[in-house]
Amino acid sequence: MDVNFKKNKIIIMITKKLVWIPILFIAITVSAQSKLDVELVKKLEEIQRSDQENREKLIDILEKEGKDSKKFKELNKKIKVIDSSNMVQVAKILDERGWLGEDVVGKQGNITLFLVVQHANLETQKKYLPMLKDAVKKGNAKPSFLAMLTDRVAMLDGKKQIYGSQLNTNEKTGELYVHPIEDPDNVDKRRAEVGLGKLSDYLAMYGLKWDISEHKKLNMN
């Protein structure tokens, strides 16, 4: 009788320990997610939707009717207005709270902060570039974001880009081309360091081929 009682007591004790472990795990998980700003996540989802949906339509119009078509020009003008409105909202977030990480705004929200700045004017991009650099150091933004914004600023400033992320359009032919790259021989090494794939694979998505010899010949100065 005493033996059975001891066995039952041991089973109860073990059961209590087993029940306690998942409860503790749940408590830790909830605590880890407590920093998430749900309202801000929703707001950034709306901003991201407005940033992307018209760009998808613009690409479709470009392929079917060309950049000189009335539809393309009207939608492109609309996108600029939306970009300006989105930047006002994102600037308020960045100025008041800094560059927030995924722990606060989620993965998509963190991407949206980058996209809106990436689509802003040069002056705005230059303003937030140092903040993005600091965010990368703190782990609140991906190095690839910094690489792409650095390239965008360089391109709009009339300088050579570093990572080859920016494409431009030939005004005469309308064809895409790679904006001039500084030290193209080592571009893939630099891209790998910030989490970007090979330049040839990136360009293939746009139907372009990476010819380093031709690129160097065209951009000797």
Side-chain angles (χ1 to χ4, degrees):
M1 191 71 174
D2 289 341
V3 174
N4 288 336
F5 176 76
K6 286 181 180 179
K7 284 183 178 178
N8 289 336
K9 189 175 181 181
I10 291 169
I11 291 170
I12 291 169
M13 288 175 69
I14 293 172
T15 303
K16 284 183 178 179
K17 287 182 180 180
L18 289 174
V19 170
W20 172 247
I21 291 171
I23 290 174
L24 179 63
F25 176 74
I26 291 168
I28 292 171
T29 304
V30 171
S31 176
Q33 294 178 345
S34 62
K35 289 178 69 177
L36 197 68
D37 189 327
V38 178
E39 289 302 314
L40 188 53
V41 168
K42 289 180 181 178
K43 183 177 181 179
L44 287 170
E45 282 178 355
E46 293 173 4
I47 292 174
Q48 190 268 345
R49 193 177 300 113
S50 67
D51 179 272
Q52 292 295 302
E53 63 182 359
N54 285 305
R55 281 184 162 80
E56 292 172 4
K57 293 177 184 177
L58 192 70
I59 292 171
D60 187 54
I61 294 172
L62 178 63
E63 292 175 348
K64 292 178 180 178
E65 302 183 33
K67 66 181 180 66
D68 293 323
S69 66
K70 184 180 178 181
K71 281 185 180 180
F72 183 87
K73 290 178 179 179
E74 287 178 349
L75 186 55
N76 198 34
K77 187 176 180 180
K78 181 181 177 181
I79 287 173
K80 289 180 180 179
V81 173
I82 292 171
D83 284 350
S84 180
S85 174
N86 286 343
M87 191 61 237
V88 170
Q89 297 179 75
V90 167
K92 190 173 187 300
I93 296 168
L94 296 176
D95 293 344
E96 293 179 358
R97 301 179 64 178
W99 202 291
L100 302 172
E102 292 183 15
D103 58 331
V104 180
V105 294
K107 183 176 182 179
Q108 190 55 58
N110 188 250
I111 293 172
T112 301
L113 294 176
F114 161 70
L115 284 177
V116 174
V117 174
Q118 183 80 341
H119 294 152
N121 58 42
L122 179 59
E123 184 182 355
T124 302
Q125 290 171 349
K126 284 184 173 182
K127 176 183 176 180
Y128 291 107
L129 185 59
M131 184 184 287
L132 179 54
K133 286 180 182 178
D134 188 54
V136 171
K137 289 179 182 178
K138 293 178 179 177
N140 286 339
K142 294 182 178 179
S144 57
F145 294 173
L146 179 58
M148 287 186 276
L149 185 59
T150 298
D151 275 357
R152 180 65 65 92
V153 168
M155 181 181 75
L156 295 179
D157 234 358
K159 300 174 183 177
K160 291 184 177 181
Q161 61 177 326
I162 306 299
Y163 302 95
S165 65
Q166 302 302 301
L167 305 181
N168 223 325
T169 306
N170 186 303
E171 292 184 3
K172 293 182 179 180
T173 64
E175 294 180 351
L176 287 173
Y177 67 92
V178 182
H179 183 77
I181 301 171
E182 187 73 43
D183 184 22
D185 290 307
N186 293 300
V187 66
D188 276 338
K189 181 182 177 182
R190 294 192 297 273
R191 287 175 66 86
E193 289 171 350
V194 296
L196 294 172
K198 289 184 177 181
L199 183 57
S200 57
D201 294 337
Y202 170 65
L203 296 179
M205 294 190 294
Y206 296 92
L208 301 175
K209 289 185 178 181
W210 174 231
D211 187 333
I212 189 169
S213 298
E214 185 66 17
H215 185 84
K216 289 164 75 174
K217 191 187 299 181
L218 293 171
N219 304 285
M220 289 183 72
N221 54 350

